[in-house]
Amino acid sequence: MSQQPNATTGFEYVVAAPIEAESVAVGALSDRRLRNRCESFGIGWLEKAAEVDVAVAGLLTADIAVRLRVVPLRIEGTRLLVAMVDPLDLAAMDEVSTLVRMPVSRVGLDPEPFGELMRRAYGTTAARIAESLAGQTEAGGGDSEHNLDTIEADDVHRMAEAPTLVNLVNLLLLEAIQSRASDVHIEPFEQDLKVKYRIDGVLVEQPQPPKHLQAALIGRIKIMANMNIAERYIPQDGHITLRFEGRKVDIRVSTVPTIYGESVVMRILDKSSLPLDLKSLGMDEAHRAQVDKLIAKPHGMVLVTGPTGSGKTTTLYAALSKLYDPRKKIITIEDPVEYELSGINQIPVNPKRGLTFATGLRAILRQDPDVIFVGEVRDGETADIAIRSALTGHLVFSTLHTNDAISSVGRLVDMGAEPYLAASVLEGLLAQRLGRRICHACSKRMPMSEDTRVRLTQAEVALFHDGVCEGAGCDECHGSGFKGRLGFFELVRISPQVRAGIAGNRPILELRAALGKDFVNMRADGMAKAARGLTSVAEVLRATQDVDEVVT
């Protein structure tokens, strides 16, 4: 180890080899190669997130720490020890040394523990930053309305551009992404402003910013999303693109007026967190084998059904990714395009300009496609075109909103589809729900409670002779006992008996009876996964409660 002077500041920082040897474009190195190179230079590496002295971490603001991917850990003698995702980034070290006016030592760590380290160091910084703004804005009045109607657009713009407010919004988004949140909700009420993250499908409240920051906070978000900050009385939609840990994250922003100001919801679309294989979605081997047979068909229609937020689009993205072949033309039409898929042509619906699912689908047919994905069948016209597309030699995927798989048939007929045409093209119906995964780090077996026992059938109780799995709560899952989600599935492959029943427009109960004794519904699939310790019984019951009548 040697010491090199900082030519800019005169302070020293520790380097493990001559600078020329370290000046490597880390973006070109894999994590393993980077780690090996650092170790060869004598730079230490953390296996997991270390303890953080919050006061020392405060030597750098959170937005600078995020930008440089650096977290100050502690002061050792006369030096500041920092953890870095890229310990070879001498420019970052130079900037840290300049800011803290101390010589710097460093250790490396991988991006995942770095995210945990950021949470430990700055997890509540958003609230502290918000509190530090108290009294700095002129918008906050003393009345319950907080003078929201009297704030001019210029005032909002000025407040929203204040550096500390910018940091607050940046931290809000940073913490949401690090927490694996799918949505950020900002909800105004009479006396307070609530912030919630949707994590694994459940809303979790966060520290509240002061109420008088409401106009500036929402104004800042609207500026970032290229929305009209002067218009506060009609719904608006916008879009934010940002870079986080070297990857692009898209954020869809929606605002609606409420009696106490605008409510904001930001949908976080982080492609790196998108599971693009069916196994990682929680689909078991038997279901995956059947899906593989369905997507290998040259033509026909496959429908995925479930309520909003049940993962239908993600499942179809995974199927399309598996299906992708340069020799095939795959086109999608979606509202909106949630994730960009390599090699696949994706069309966003734009009703304001006349591009609906129906008009877009007609245009797609003139593009010589092999495979078509229609984001959702919403009306009879779209259903008719999709069915006729499947009849003319295309493989068509789409989604519907029904409680179970076989009910998709009735929904198509209700939209005006001819039963005999639906029978001709349908090849598979997949219904699904999402439940939370039990955290593997704190999972434990325990006896089944009597309250749970009375909600299960005898056959279901027999699955849990060793007890049920629950998450005790730990640092890794932030005390929730859950980390991530998985799907509960039921798959109907259209047999000759079911096809005949569809063509004859038989009642859904008769079609369900024709599925046979080997058919596995969503609840049964979920219970099997709970018995294997992947999820809890309570999660299965919560996710499949709307299909209880089907089970019985």
Side-chain angles (χ1 to χ4, degrees), residues 60-77:
L60 292 182
T61 60
D63 58 321
I64 292 175
V66 172
R67 176 170 59 84
L68 299 178
R69 298 206 284 179
V70 170
V71 176
L73 296 178
R74 57 185 176 272
I75 295 175
E76 296 183 337

Side-chain angles (χ1 to χ4, degrees), residues 448 453 456-466 531:
M448 180 183 291
R453 188 181 300 273
L456 306 185
T457 65
Q458 290 185 349
E460 289 171 341
V461 171
L463 293 172
F464 301 95
H465 53 84
D466 292 332

Side-chain angles (χ1 to χ4, degrees), residues 119-141:
R119 280 190 288 274
R120 293 182 184 182
Y122 302 107
T124 59
T125 303
R128 291 202 300 269
I129 285 180
E131 291 167 1
S132 73
L133 285 174
Q136 293 184 18
T137 68
E138 299 174 3

Side-chain angles (χ1 to χ4, degrees), residues 177-225:
I177 295 170
Q178 289 179 330
S179 301
R180 301 176 294 103
S182 61
D183 301 85
V184 177
H185 292 241
I186 300 175
E187 303 174 343
F189 294 96
E190 183 177 10
Q191 299 296 335
D192 50 23
L193 182 65
K194 293 186 181 295
V195 175
K196 302 176 184 177
Y197 297 160
R198 187 175 294 280
I199 302 173
D200 296 331
V202 177
L203 284 175
V204 180
E205 280 206 42
Q206 305 299 312
Q208 295 180 12
K211 173 68 174 178
H212 71 254
L213 294 179
Q214 177 177 321
L217 178 64
I218 294 174
R220 175 61 189 168
I221 293 170
K222 291 171 76 173
I223 288 171
M224 294 173 68

Side-chain angles (χ1 to χ4, degrees), residues 311-538:
K312 302 185 296 296
T313 301
T314 302
T315 296
L316 283 174
Y317 276 174
L320 290 175
S321 296
K322 186 178 183 65
L323 184 62
Y324 174 71
D325 185 322
R327 295 169 297 180
K328 291 182 178 179
K329 176 85 166 184
I330 303 177
I331 306 181
T332 77
I333 180 164
E334 307 171 57
D335 182 22
V337 174
E338 295 193 6
Y339 296 95
E340 297 176 12
L341 301 177
S342 178
I344 294 176
N345 297 273
Q346 296 173 269
I347 302 171
V349 165
N350 192 341
K352 292 181 179 178
R353 298 193 173 185
L355 180 55
T356 63
F357 278 118
T359 57
L361 190 48
R362 286 196 185 93
I364 286 174
L365 293 176
R366 296 192 289 272
Q367 291 282 307
D368 187 29
D370 297 292
V371 180
I372 301 170
F373 168 39
V374 183
E376 183 182 346
V377 176
R378 295 179 177 173
D379 52 55
E381 184 180 13
T382 305
D384 181 65
I385 301 170
I387 288 173
R388 295 186 184 279
S389 300
L391 281 172
T392 54
H394 303 92
L395 182 58
V396 179
F397 296 94
S398 192
T399 70
L400 280 175
H401 294 282
T402 61
N403 279 356
D404 65 328
I406 200 64
S407 296
S408 304
V409 176
R411 182 61 54 83
L412 284 178
V413 172
D414 289 343
M415 287 181 182
E418 293 290 347
Y420 72 93
L421 290 179
S424 300
V425 300
L426 285 174
E427 296 293 344
L429 307 169
L430 177 69
Q432 67 180 71
R433 298 290 187 276
L434 288 179
R436 291 180 290 176
R437 288 182 185 269
I438 292 178
C439 174
H440 67 86
C442 60
S443 173
K444 62 179 183 179
R445 290 272 178 183
M446 59 180 61
M448 180 183 291
S449 69
E450 190 59 34
D451 287 344
T452 299
R453 188 181 300 273
V454 298
R455 298 182 64 186
L456 306 185
T457 65
Q458 290 185 349
E460 289 171 341
V461 171
L463 293 172
F464 301 95
H465 53 84
D466 292 332
V468 296
C469 264
E470 299 286 350
C474 63
D475 289 342
E476 189 165 327
C477 61
H478 307 294
S480 68
F482 298 96
K483 187 175 182 181
R485 291 194 285 178
L486 77 166
F488 309 142
F489 302 93
E490 65 181 38
L491 177 62
V492 175
R493 291 192 65 196
I494 307 300
S495 64
Q497 294 87 346
V498 174
R499 198 177 300 278
I502 296 172
N505 200 19
R506 306 307 303 165
I508 293 299
L509 287 176
E510 290 188 24
L511 296 180
R512 192 172 290 136
L515 298 179
K517 61 181 181 180
D518 294 331
F519 172 68
V520 178
N521 60 44
M522 284 179 286
R523 175 159 164 162
D525 183 54
M527 288 297 174
K529 288 167 179 170
R532 285 153 48 197
L534 300 178
T535 188
S536 69
V537 173

Side-chain angles (χ1 to χ4, degrees), residues 277-314:
D277 67 275
L278 297 171
K279 183 177 181 180
S280 64
L281 292 172
M283 189 175 288
D284 61 29
E285 187 175 349
H287 277 144
R288 294 200 307 272
Q290 294 184 67
V291 170
D292 286 346
K293 292 179 181 178
L294 286 175
I295 65 179
K297 289 184 175 293
H299 53 79
M301 177 181 280
V302 177
L303 296 175
V304 179
T305 184
T308 300
S310 60
K312 302 185 296 296
T313 301
T314 302

